Amino acid sequence: MTKGNINVSVENIFPLIKKFLYSDHEIFLRELISNATDATLKLKHLTNVGDAKVEYGNPQIEVKIDKEGKKLHIIDQGLGMTADEVEKYINQVAFSGAEEFLDKYKDSAKDSGIIGHFGLGFYSAFMVAEKVEIITKSFKDEPAAHWTCDGSPEFTLEAADKTDRGTEIILHIAEDSTEFLEEARITELLNKYNKFMPVSIKFGTKEINDPKHTPETTKDKDGKETTEPHRQITVDNIINNPNPAWTKLPADLKDEDYSGFYRELYPMQFEEPLFNIHLNVDYPFNLTGILYFPKMSNDMQIQKDKIQLYQNQVFVTDNVEGIVPEFLTMLRGVIDSPDIPLNVSRSYLQADGAVKKISSYITRKVADKLKSLFNNNREDFEAKWNDIKIVIEYGMLSEEKFFEKSEAFTLYPTVDGKYYTYEELFNKIKANQTDKDGKLVILYASDKDAQHSYIESAKAKDYEVLLLDSPIVSHLIQKLESTKENITFARVDGDHVNNLIKKDETTISKLDEDQTKALDELLKEVIPSDKFQVQLEAMDSSESPFTITQPEFMRRMKEMQATGGGGMNMFGNMPEMYNLVINTNSDLVGEILGTKTKKKQERLITQSLDLARLSQGLLKGEELTNFIKRSYEMIK
């Protein structure tokens, strides 16, 4: 038997591991199973190239709990180690970076998840164990070895009587970590970190119906049928899927394979995804994965962190902001890359050059896939537009490269259910919706019902009205106005339609100068100036006599502030102000001026104003009650 000290000069390395990394203590199982997987896959490689003169067979990793003995076992059938290799890899190499780790990370290790980054993966076992044993037999024809350490720098190394190839790690679980002797806790961790590991992982056994047994059905004398119960057999409980869909070639997968894998990833999701994007690249970095577009709502507070990040099929995190472009964090699925470090903080990942390239690649790949979906089946893409637009619009705002590519597939729906690309829209409306100054005005509504009368006024002039109703539409149109030449967006209720798209022709007012002045003074006496800015306009006599609009700039700034950015607090704090457009050519306005009594004039103005307010949903409470009462009186 050999005794010795681990190659580390700092006596208190183990308490430090436990203290500084305790917030991540559950990852010990991930680390040990990752090591077991590496040992198994390395053996596979050696047997494939002929360097290992042994049968690879069908090895698996086994996790066993010995609750009574307070032990947890992790057993593999991989390469194994000789006594010399234990001395080299466990006592020397694993601690080669220990002092650097202490110097650099002892203040911040709790946040950095640094276990494994300096070869400390195996020693994460000491976060939960008071003693660790390794019993290992190499695939080479050499004796087995037994290593023991109680968490101090001292260890023992002796011969063992193990005869089968592979390594068994035995953790003597510490008193403060007995949760890891519970079957439910280990099952939870195996499902979280090891669900798709490339080597089968056994955890106990389970009962299943015997596939070789067909239950017999018999009839009694009365002809009543009885079927015998299924015969049960006991099989290994394999907790993982070693060959998940993302590790296969897209050509080898059908639609049902993608759907099945989605349900495997998200067993509690009952709605099918709209479509998927299979990522598969080997240059300039390695990356595979499948991203799914779920049905989206217009709620910007939807839960993110649905994408799972893996490194060689080992779960790393589902907090992927900064690694995946932010607008895609609303998607679901898996990304796997050996180029993503397994055990470092998000801040480290976000600064990593390889990770930035991965983020750019994913952006480009998603844009290319959306373009091909649009080109291959436009009708289907249009049908899904409302469920995916929030992701695309967010991407247009947040990723310049995506914005450049998005013109090929971004759609602009109209209130009548037609869908245009920007180029199609431009060509459709440029002749009719260019104003007298040569600027193209794109009209839009955000609520078909609330803005119905304004939409109808625009349609009466053969104007197209888009339906843009996502919460970030104000930001989006600001972006489009700043990148497209000589265009502006105007919401249909932002002003009277004649003022939204000003043409050269003018309508003559029926009122002379004195009548106009008298009307203006009369209106200002009745209409509250703190809420309404009165505008007298000469329009067609068939147009509405009183129309309430809200200035585009002010409303847009308030909306942008409400969804983040775009303007200072001054816009959010300002009271709601509306324009009241009075059609001086309407019969009602003529009647108001021609009415002899002041009281009746005031009543007509108030009633007309309240009707305009009602159409905008601005009449509420006592004012609405008074309006209804007054309306009944007028009917009488």
Side-chain angles (χ1 to χ4, degrees):
M1 180 172 78
T2 304
K3 287 189 177 182
N5 277 4
I6 292 165
N7 185 24
V8 56
S9 60
V10 182
E11 290 290 320
N12 61 352
I13 183 71
F14 293 106
L16 278 168
I17 285 175
K18 192 154 191 169
K19 179 181 177 186
F20 289 125
L21 301 172
Y22 200 72
S23 64
D24 272 346
H25 62 313
E26 68 175 37
I27 61 138
F28 81 92
L29 191 60
R30 179 189 77 179
E31 295 297 322
L32 296 179
I33 290 178
S34 294
N35 289 347
T37 303
D38 284 346
T40 309
L41 295 178
K42 280 174 184 167
L43 179 69
K44 184 179 185 179
H45 175 71
L46 291 178
T47 56
N48 285 344
V49 298
D51 284 0
K53 309 299 181 191
V54 292
E55 286 291 320
Y56 178 67
N58 189 25
Q60 63 182 21
I61 296 162
E62 183 176 8
V63 179
K64 288 198 304 191
I65 294 172
D66 173 4
K67 198 164 184 178
E68 201 174 303
K70 294 187 176 176
K71 290 185 283 189
L72 184 67
H73 302 249
I74 293 100
I75 306 158
D76 71 58
Q77 297 158 8
L79 280 174
M81 289 181 283
T82 64
D84 286 346
E85 286 168 338
V86 171
E87 170 65 35
K88 179 180 177 183
Y89 294 118
I90 301 298
N91 296 336
Q92 295 172 25
V93 173
F95 259 84
S96 61
E99 289 179 85
E100 183 184 352
F101 158 72
L102 284 174
D103 292 342
K104 193 169 181 181
Y105 288 98
K106 62 184 178 183
D107 294 328
S108 62
K110 186 178 279 279
D111 299 319
S112 63
I114 204 68
I115 275 288
H117 191 49
F118 290 114
L120 289 164
F122 166 71
Y123 281 94
S124 63
F126 287 98
M127 293 193 291
V128 300
E130 57 191 14
K131 183 168 86 170
V132 178
E133 298 178 70
I134 302 173
I135 303 169
T136 183
K137 170 84 169 70
S138 172
F139 73 99
K140 301 168 188 170
D141 188 19
E142 292 197 34
H146 183 185
W147 180 92
T148 309
C149 181
D150 64 0
S152 71
E154 295 175 0
F155 68 89
T156 62
L157 182 59
E158 56 189 330
D161 56 7
K162 180 176 170 67
T163 55
D164 52 327
R165 178 193 74 219
T167 299
E168 178 174 6
I169 311 282
I170 305 168
L171 279 63
H172 296 259
I173 299 297
E175 283 301 322
D176 61 0
S177 297
T178 54
E179 65 185 280
F180 300 111
L181 295 170
E182 300 298 329
E183 190 175 316
R185 181 72 168 117
I186 296 300
T187 299
E188 176 199 346
L189 293 182
L190 291 173
N191 279 322
K192 179 176 179 180
Y193 292 110
N194 308 106
K195 192 174 180 179
F196 299 111
M197 293 290 275
V199 178
S200 296
I201 300 167
K202 175 189 173 186
F203 184 50
T205 59
K206 62 183 178 182
E207 299 286 315
I208 64 164
N209 293 333
D210 184 352
K212 294 178 181 175
H213 171 241
T214 305
E216 279 188 24
T217 300
T218 56
K219 289 182 181 180
D220 63 15
K221 60 183 181 181
D222 299 323
K224 187 179 178 184
E225 290 188 348
T226 305
T227 304
E228 66 173 319
H230 276 279
R231 186 187 299 153
Q232 298 279 293
I233 57 169
T234 303
V235 296
D236 290 348
N237 180 33
I238 304 299
I239 59 92
N240 61 321
N241 172 4
N243 302 298
W246 84 80
T247 63
K248 300 171 185 175
L249 292 171
D252 297 336
L253 295 167
K254 298 180 178 147
D255 287 346
E256 53 265 34
D257 297 317
Y258 288 111
S259 296
F261 182 57
Y262 184 76
R263 285 191 292 274
E264 199 175 342
L265 281 173
Y266 308 105
M268 300 310 291
Q269 281 294 326
F270 303 111
E271 243 183 348
E272 286 289 311
L274 297 164
F275 51 81
N276 65 75
I277 296 173
H278 197 133
L279 306 167
N280 196 341
V281 65
D282 53 18
Y283 181 82
F285 45 79
N286 285 297
L287 181 138
T288 54
I290 300 171
L291 296 180
Y292 293 92
F293 270 73
K295 276 196 168 185
M296 295 284 175
S297 71
N298 270 352
D299 182 7
M300 286 297 286
Q301 302 308 312
I302 53 179
Q303 189 179 348
K304 294 184 181 182
D305 301 339
K306 293 283 191 180
I307 295 174
Q308 299 173 13
L309 190 67
Y310 287 77
Q311 187 220 61
N312 290 328
Q313 294 175 240
V314 182
F315 176 79
V316 179
T317 182
D318 58 5
N319 189 347
V320 295
E321 277 189 74
I323 301 157
V324 171
E326 190 181 358
F327 76 101
L328 294 179
T329 57
M330 293 185 270
L331 302 188
R332 299 194 177 117
V334 164
I335 290 168
D336 189 334
S337 174
D339 296 319
I340 293 174
L342 184 59
N343 290 294
V344 289
S345 65
R346 274 179 62 219
S347 58
Y348 177 94
L349 285 172
Q350 289 164 14
D352 184 78
V355 171
K356 283 183 177 170
K357 285 179 188 165
I358 287 169
S359 180
S360 298
Y361 165 76
I362 293 169
T363 299
R364 192 174 75 248
K365 184 75 177 178
V366 168
D368 290 345
K369 176 69 174 185
L370 289 166
K371 182 180 177 181
S372 102
L373 286 166
F374 173 75
N375 290 339
N376 293 341
N377 191 340
R378 175 163 178 166
E379 192 178 339
D380 183 58
F381 195 82
E382 288 180 359
K384 290 171 177 171
W385 178 254
N386 275 336
D387 293 312
I388 62 172
K389 67 184 178 191
I390 194 78
V391 177
I392 293 172
E393 289 170 354
Y394 191 15
M396 290 168 73
L397 283 171
S398 58
E399 295 284 333
E400 202 56 43
K401 288 269 187 271
F402 186 80
F403 179 78
E404 289 165 14
K405 285 178 166 278
S406 68
E407 190 155 318
F409 52 79
T410 297
L411 292 174
Y412 297 87
T414 72
V415 290
D416 297 321
K418 296 179 201 156
Y419 290 85
Y420 296 110
T421 63
Y422 182 81
E423 186 181 6
E424 290 166 350
L425 178 70
F426 181 87
N427 290 332
K428 176 85 168 58
I429 68 173
K430 65 180 176 183
N432 197 29
Q433 289 181 220
T434 300
D435 68 12
K436 62 185 178 64
D437 299 318
K439 180 166 272 197
L440 181 71
V441 182
I442 302 171
L443 300 178
Y444 72 100
S446 59
D447 186 324
K448 279 204 297 187
D449 292 333
Q451 293 151 9
H452 182 266
S453 62
Y454 301 91
I455 293 168
E456 289 304 304
S457 294
K459 284 165 73 173
K461 294 182 176 289
D462 289 328
Y463 294 158
E464 284 285 357
V465 181
L466 301 182
L467 180 61
L468 304 179
D469 57 1
S470 78
I472 54 174
V473 72
S474 296
H475 296 274
L476 183 63
I477 62 180
Q478 199 88 342
K479 169 93 176 172
L480 290 164
E481 286 172 342
S482 65
T483 52
K484 305 287 184 189
E485 204 172 315
N486 213 21
I487 67 150
T488 187
F489 281 77
R491 204 167 85 177
V492 284
D493 59 346
D495 204 333
H496 191 278
V497 70
N498 291 354
N499 293 331
L500 292 176
I501 306 179
K502 287 190 172 176
K503 302 289 187 175
D504 283 325
E505 65 264 17
T506 55
T507 305
I508 306 299
S509 177
K510 289 179 182 178
L511 306 183
D512 62 26
E513 197 174 324
D514 290 342
Q515 288 173 313
T516 302
K517 188 178 178 185
L519 176 64
D520 189 45
E521 288 172 357
L522 185 57
L523 291 168
K524 284 177 178 171
E525 285 176 25
V526 182
I527 292 165
S529 59
D530 59 332
K531 292 181 181 175
F532 297 99
Q533 181 83 34
V534 175
Q535 291 175 217
L536 301 181
E537 301 270 354
M539 295 180 283
D540 192 282
S541 59
S542 62
E543 301 274 7
S544 296
F546 280 45
T547 306
I548 291 175
T549 64
Q550 191 173 20
E552 175 80 15
F553 175 76
M554 184 67 68
R555 177 192 48 72
R556 199 190 290 186
M557 289 301 110
K558 288 169 85 76
E559 285 175 354
M560 287 173 71
Q561 191 186 314
T563 52
M568 299 158 58
N569 281 339
M570 58 178 279
F571 295 111
N573 297 333
M574 287 183 86
E576 293 286 351
M577 272 296 288
Y578 296 91
N579 292 335
L580 178 62
V581 182
I582 310 292
N583 180 4
T584 60
N585 287 342
S586 75
D587 293 341
L588 179 63
V589 167
E591 190 181 332
I592 290 169
L593 270 176
T595 298
K596 301 299 181 197
T597 67
K598 193 80 177 275
K599 193 172 181 183
K600 191 179 176 186
Q601 281 181 323
E602 288 175 0
R603 195 164 80 244
L604 282 171
I605 292 169
T606 303
Q607 188 73 0
S608 302
L609 174 62
D610 282 354
L611 279 166
R613 292 167 79 193
L614 190 67
S615 73
Q616 275 280 53
L618 298 174
L619 202 58
K620 293 170 186 172
E622 186 181 353
E623 290 176 323
L624 178 57
T625 305
N626 292 339
F627 167 76
I628 293 168
K629 195 184 290 184
R630 190 187 327 119
S631 298
Y632 279 129
E633 290 296 323
M634 290 174 79
I635 293 170
K636 287 180 192 173

